[in-house]
Amino acid sequence: MSARHIVLNELPEQAETKVDPPTTNSPKSSPKPNTETTSSSKHQDIDCGLASLQLSAGILQIAEPPLDHVRSQLRELIGRQNKIYIDLSKEKYKLDCSEVAKLNDMMNDVRRYKDKLIKIKKEMQSIYQRTKDLKKRAANVAACKQRDYQRKLDRQHHEESLIGGQ
């Protein structure tokens, strides 16, 4: 508290110090340094430097404890964020691993179903070929039966004509 009081007291003292206006040298006169102005300027610089140091020290005393508290809270927050980030990364890795396992299972299923499909396709081609052969054979059998039936009828007609001609 006393530092704050000192800093606040320093401000009015600084305002009380008078600044001498710079003297302008006429072009006819030779420039001579005014010793009174130079020593007063040096004294003001020292007073301003001391005042600025005391002012900055007071501001630091006022602002530093809350800043330290905020820094510690930020460190804690960053630590928590890092922990959450690491946990999320682990979960993502687990999900990625499970997704990779699911993908491998799906690829194995695709391979197995493809093999089944190829096997079914071959069976269907085999069945198609057999039915085609069976239809041909059935057509041949039907044609043979038709010929046999026609021969039988022809023989029967021939026999009847022989029996009827007697």
Side-chain angles (χ1 to χ4, degrees), residues 124-136:
M124 288 178 67
Q125 286 175 344
S126 171
I127 290 171
Y128 172 75
Q129 192 62 37
R130 285 189 289 169
T131 55
K132 187 176 161 186
D133 291 343
L134 285 174
K135 283 181 182 178
K136 236 188 233 183

Side-chain angles (χ1 to χ4, degrees), residues 7 29 49 83 96 103 126 130:
V7 171
S29 67
K83 185 179 182 299
D96 288 345
L103 183 63
S126 171
R130 285 189 289 169

Side-chain angles (χ1 to χ4, degrees), residues 14-79:
Q14 187 178 8
E16 289 177 8
T17 54
K18 295 181 183 177
V19 178
D20 293 334
T23 58
T24 56
N25 295 330
S26 66
K28 294 180 183 176
S29 67
S30 64
K32 292 183 181 176
N34 189 349
T35 56
E36 199 175 292
T37 307
T38 308
S39 68
S40 172
S41 172
K42 287 180 184 177
H43 182 65
Q44 280 182 339
D45 288 344
I46 292 172
D47 284 345
C48 286
L50 180 64
S52 64
L53 286 175
Q54 287 177 343
L55 181 62
S56 61
I59 290 174
L60 281 176
Q61 285 178 354
I62 293 170
E64 196 167 16
L67 285 176
D68 288 339
H69 181 68
V70 168
R71 278 189 200 115
S72 67
Q73 286 179 335
L74 279 174
R75 281 188 208 108
E76 183 180 340
L77 179 64
I78 289 170

